[in-house]
Amino acid sequence: MTTVEPSDAISPSGRSAISPPDKGLQSERTSLSFVRTSLSILGLAVACLRWLPPFGSVAMIGPAIAAVLIVAVTIYERRSRSARLELFAREKATPALGMGAALAVSLLVLAASGLWILVT
């Protein structure tokens, strides 16, 4: 918990001069959540290997596409982390919509392949 000194509360202009206590931790938490979600979806894609014997290699097309998307998201996230942290520190950060969309697409591909397995 941060303590506020009375001298820090109001600046001469009358506005609050308290700096936010979060110095980049939000961006770090977001990055870790992308990694955690990616690993979960990748684990689901690996769990789809149990469909291989009865349905053949065609059943692996969806999980393989999802795995490639997840690996791409994870690599991109790791490489762009320092740049995003710098943007966040300058308060110029934007949401990572592309990575979120790739994770959503990978889930949809896995769901579609699962439905295909159920129907056939």
Side-chain angles (χ1 to χ4, degrees), residues 13-108:
S13 65
R15 294 183 183 204
S16 174
I18 300 172
S19 63
D22 190 4
K23 298 193 187 305
L25 294 178
Q26 178 63 40
S27 181
E28 187 69 24
R29 285 189 299 264
T30 302
S31 175
L32 290 173
S33 72
F34 271 115
V35 171
R36 187 175 54 243
T37 304
S38 297
L39 287 175
S40 299
I41 298 171
L42 191 59
L44 182 62
V46 169
C48 291
L49 288 174
R50 65 187 176 123
W51 292 332
L52 187 58
F55 294 101
S57 59
V58 176
M60 290 294 100
I61 293 173
I65 291 171
V68 168
L69 282 172
I70 294 304
V71 169
V73 164
T74 305
I75 289 172
Y76 178 77
E77 191 281 324
R78 292 291 293 170
R79 289 187 176 178
S80 67
R81 179 181 291 178
S82 59
R84 274 196 336 273
L85 287 173
E86 184 179 322
L87 286 172
F88 187 80
R90 289 187 285 144
E91 296 183 5
K92 304 262 187 216
T94 57
L97 296 177
M99 288 192 294
L103 292 176
V105 166
S106 67
L107 277 176
L108 289 174

